Amino acid sequence: MIWYILIVGILLPQSLAHPGFFTSIGQMTDLIHTEKDLVTSLKDYIKAEEDKLEQIKKWAEKLDRLTSTATKDPEGFVGHPVNAFKLMKRLNTEWSELENLVLKDTSDGFISNLTIQRQYFPNDEDQVGAAKALLRLQDTYNLDTDTISKGNLPGVKHKSFLTVEDCFELGKVAYTEADYYHTELWMEQALRQLDEGEVSTIDKVSVLDYLSYAVYQQGDLDKALLLTKKLLELDPEHQRANGNLKYFEYIMAKEKDGNKSASDDQSDRKTTLKKKGVAVDYLPERQKYEMLCRGEGIKMTPRRQKKLFCRYHDGNRNPKFILAPAKQEDEWDKPRIIRFHDIISDAEIEIVKDLAKPRLSRATVHDPETGKLTTAQYRVSKSAWLSGYENPVVSRINMRIQDLTGLDVSTAEELQVANYGVGGQYEPHFDFARKDEPDAFKELGTGNRIATWLFYMSDVSAGGATVFPEVGASVWPKKGTAVFWYNLFASGEGDYSTRHAACPVLVGNKWVSNKWLHERGQEFRRPCTLSELE
């Protein structure tokens, strides 16, 4: 049931906003297995009910034949002593047995299993979060509602469709966030599918109710009036629509008459409405960030490209890499971003993932004011922290990073493993603490984050790039590789060109692990320079 409140003469649906949702493919696959188990349990229940009904049917057929014969000559029938005995027996015993059979509850097993599994089910917050992820993908990758609804996404293996109910739900989620732009898009999609003849429990009146108000909120009074009239054609007694119609006509009449006060009111109304076509969580750099996520970023000039090389790297004559040097590739020049190929094996990846999966929780970021780890709406993923002391594979990976970078990992943070499911992202951010965040890593006592090492532990079907909006670089996930860059110049000053983001995963599953290396312990490994920006 939807409740309504009256604001500035317009009746609108009232609802509450929900907090964010955090995707993890690992947990989603667990839900798939849970649902499969419930389907098996449901089929067992159906089979038990069918068996029960089959028994009842046999009883009914037998008794139908018997009573048909008996009613033709009741006196003659009961005159037979055997028939008289069996009649007494049936009515006294067998009908009681049939009653017990009819009353027998075969749902106990299914209900019990459902009750146990329900504790692992997603809640309203999760459902809203999944919807927000779709809206995020829609914006980032310039997808229209029809493309998403028909499941025409790149790299998909299992095509799926959105029903009218699904589209309506997406529109409602946007509505609760006062995101009238997406409300309009998804309510229009629901309306199109209804017009195309799709059978649905959602009627056009409900869709038009949300759609007309969303359009009004974006300043299109003419269209809002048209949609309201269309709603009233379907339901002439719709109380809210009748009220809105009068209000819209009143406003338009005042505008037409050129009344000054009405013009002022119209001006005020337009300033309070959401700007059409702009997401409610718009960031100043979002346009550039989303272009990079789509692979439409700044192209490096041929002259700069000629300075990028592939090479074998032995870690400055490190014994471990003299005979089997690592493969290096320059991804970008300023800031210098290096990719290491075949640097982590599939076996190591699986061990790291197995260690992380039981601990995956909502990813955190350092609060610049308190220096403590906290959750943030701009980072949508699940993460876990692994220490080198708990498993030799983690320790070996840590030492590999040290050998190849020449930096001391003893003062680095633990290996962080992150899983980005569909829609999972990390909006533009810096890894290092700026001057106005002096306490960001105070609790660690190891100085600022001097460098970042990022392992890609999976391929991604579509989306999921690591992008640097300040310089236009896009680094795409490739399983078994790692990228490395310095966050600080050798002088200790922050390199603001390293501001980066993890693009939303459009299709697939993204596993990464990263190591943040700190200043302490690097004094002789990376000596300071006299120039501030070197």
Side-chain angles (χ1 to χ4, degrees):
M1 182 176 182
I2 304 176
W3 294 90
Y4 299 89
I5 58 177
L6 182 65
I7 294 182
V8 294
I10 297 294
L11 287 164
L12 62 154
Q14 176 184 340
S15 50
L16 298 175
H18 295 273
F21 171 74
F22 309 95
T23 57
S24 167
I25 288 292
Q27 291 180 330
M28 298 284 269
T29 53
D30 289 342
L31 290 177
I32 290 291
H33 293 301
T34 296
E35 190 170 42
K36 175 62 177 175
D37 180 57
L38 285 173
V39 170
T40 301
S41 181
L42 179 60
K43 290 170 73 174
D44 290 342
Y45 162 65
I46 293 171
K47 179 67 166 59
E49 284 287 338
E50 287 175 342
D51 290 344
K52 186 177 87 169
L53 287 172
E54 187 62 30
Q55 291 181 58
I56 295 171
K57 185 179 178 182
K58 288 180 180 177
W59 269 80
E61 290 173 349
K62 182 183 75 172
L63 291 173
D64 184 47
R65 290 193 300 270
L66 190 63
T67 54
S68 294
T69 302
T71 53
K72 289 177 181 178
D73 182 13
E75 292 185 6
F77 186 83
V78 294
H80 194 297
V82 173
N83 287 341
F85 165 74
K86 294 187 72 173
L87 177 62
M88 297 301 105
K89 178 174 175 290
R90 278 199 308 277
L91 292 174
N92 183 54
T93 305
E94 295 180 10
W95 274 97
S96 295
E97 292 174 358
L98 179 60
E99 180 183 14
N100 291 334
L101 177 61
V102 171
L103 293 174
K104 182 181 178 182
D105 189 357
T106 60
S107 66
D108 287 349
F110 171 68
I111 295 299
S112 176
N113 191 19
L114 181 61
T115 303
I116 293 170
Q117 299 290 1
R118 186 175 281 119
Q119 62 183 313
Y120 306 111
F121 279 16
N123 55 26
D124 289 343
E125 178 185 340
D126 297 327
Q127 182 175 332
V128 168
K132 287 182 179 179
L134 267 179
L135 301 182
R136 190 160 55 242
L137 293 172
Q138 180 182 2
D139 288 343
T140 304
Y141 296 105
N142 269 349
L143 301 171
D144 59 64
T145 54
D146 195 57
T147 296
I148 298 174
S149 182
K150 292 179 179 177
N152 295 326
L153 302 177
V156 293
K157 294 181 180 178
H158 309 285
K159 196 170 181 179
S160 187
F161 303 87
L162 292 177
T163 63
V164 169
E165 288 88 346
D166 296 330
C167 297
F168 185 71
E169 177 64 25
L170 287 168
K172 282 176 63 179
V173 168
Y175 181 90
T176 62
E177 299 293 312
D179 179 2
Y180 302 113
Y181 168 63
H182 286 107
T183 303
E184 179 184 358
L185 292 179
W186 284 103
M187 290 303 172
E188 284 185 337
Q189 180 63 30
L191 198 60
R192 272 196 300 272
Q193 291 182 205
L194 285 170
D195 288 339
E196 290 169 1
E198 183 177 326
V199 178
S200 173
T201 57
I202 304 297
D203 57 31
K204 290 184 180 182
V205 170
S206 300
V207 176
L208 287 166
D209 189 14
Y210 279 95
L211 180 57
S212 60
Y213 183 74
V215 168
Y216 162 76
Q217 276 292 325
Q218 295 178 91
D220 194 342
L221 193 57
D222 291 331
K223 186 176 179 181
L225 181 63
L226 185 67
L227 291 168
T228 303
K229 288 180 177 178
K230 189 174 180 181
L231 190 161
L232 288 170
E233 288 175 6
L234 299 172
D235 184 3
E237 304 301 319
H238 198 284
Q239 184 178 355
R240 185 170 48 262
N242 276 300
N244 290 346
L245 178 65
K246 292 177 182 178
Y247 179 76
F248 294 154
E249 289 176 337
Y250 168 73
I251 292 295
M252 293 184 77
K254 289 183 73 175
E255 291 176 355
K256 189 175 181 180
D257 293 340
N259 185 288
K260 185 179 183 304
S261 61
S263 298
D264 293 339
D265 178 67
Q266 172 72 354
S267 176
D268 291 341
R269 179 173 62 84
K270 284 186 176 179
T271 59
T272 59
L273 299 180
K274 302 292 180 185
K275 184 179 179 182
K276 193 163 186 176
V278 176
V280 292
D281 58 346
Y282 182 78
L283 292 172
E285 61 190 332
R286 181 175 293 279
Q287 185 176 5
K288 189 186 296 184
Y289 154 60
E290 291 179 347
M291 285 181 65
L292 290 171
C293 289
R294 296 191 294 268
E296 301 170 0
I298 302 167
K299 303 301 179 184
M300 189 179 287
T301 63
R303 186 174 180 180
R304 287 175 65 189
Q305 284 182 331
K306 287 179 181 178
K307 296 179 181 179
L308 303 182
F309 295 96
C310 293
R311 68 187 68 81
Y312 287 107
H313 179 64
D314 62 10
N316 295 323
R317 304 294 294 171
N318 187 294
K320 297 176 185 176
F321 293 100
I322 290 177
L323 292 178
K327 302 170 189 173
Q328 261 191 7
E329 178 186 1
D330 294 331
E331 286 279 354
W332 205 258
D333 53 355
K334 291 182 181 180
R336 191 182 183 205
I337 305 170
I338 299 172
R339 188 193 291 265
F340 290 85
H341 290 268
D342 303 320
I343 205 63
I344 183 170
S345 69
D346 289 351
E348 289 173 325
I349 287 172
E350 291 307 311
I351 290 172
V352 169
K353 286 166 61 175
D354 288 342
L355 290 170
K357 281 177 183 177
R359 311 182 202 178
L360 285 175
S361 59
R362 181 180 169 186
T364 55
V365 297
H366 266 97
D367 187 316
E369 294 183 2
T370 65
K372 296 180 179 179
L373 290 172
T374 183
T375 57
Q377 294 296 325
Y378 57 82
R379 187 173 193 188
V380 185
S381 65
K382 296 276 187 176
S383 69
W385 298 84
L386 303 180
S387 168
Y389 298 108
E390 60 187 289
N391 191 283
V393 169
V394 179
S395 177
R396 186 164 70 239
I397 289 171
N398 289 340
M399 288 309 301
R400 190 176 303 153
I401 296 171
Q402 177 168 303
D403 293 337
L404 289 171
T405 63
L407 299 175
D408 188 353
V409 296
S410 65
T411 58
E413 295 172 49
E414 292 181 341
L415 187 70
Q416 183 182 219
V417 182
N419 179 215
Y420 296 83
V422 173
Q425 65 169 3
Y426 193 173
E427 289 182 352
H429 63 282
F430 297 103
D431 281 350
F432 66 91
R434 273 75 69 212
K435 289 182 178 179
D436 58 348
E437 304 167 345
D439 297 330
F441 305 112
K442 186 176 181 180
E443 284 193 351
L444 299 178
T446 53
N448 211 342
R449 287 174 174 166
I450 192 172
T452 297
W453 178 286
L454 177 65
F455 283 112
Y456 292 113
M457 302 197 301
S458 68
D459 293 313
V460 180
S461 300
T466 305
V467 299
F468 295 73
E470 294 295 315
V471 297
S474 297
V475 180
W476 298 90
K478 184 179 179 183
K479 186 178 181 181
T481 69
V483 290
F484 172 79
W485 67 85
Y486 280 104
N487 297 305
L488 306 179
F489 293 110
S491 63
E493 292 294 320
D495 184 350
Y496 284 80
S497 68
T498 61
R499 184 171 173 82
H500 60 285
C503 296
V505 175
L506 177 57
V507 178
N509 175 23
K510 180 182 175 184
W511 282 92
V512 298
S513 57
N514 62 278
K515 195 79 172 173
W516 283 306
L517 298 106
H518 283 250
E519 291 177 293
R520 299 294 177 265
Q522 321 303 345
E523 292 84 354
F524 298 104
R525 293 173 180 264
R526 195 193 188 213
C528 290
T529 59
L530 297 177
S531 174
E532 184 177 345
L533 300 179
E534 287 186 4

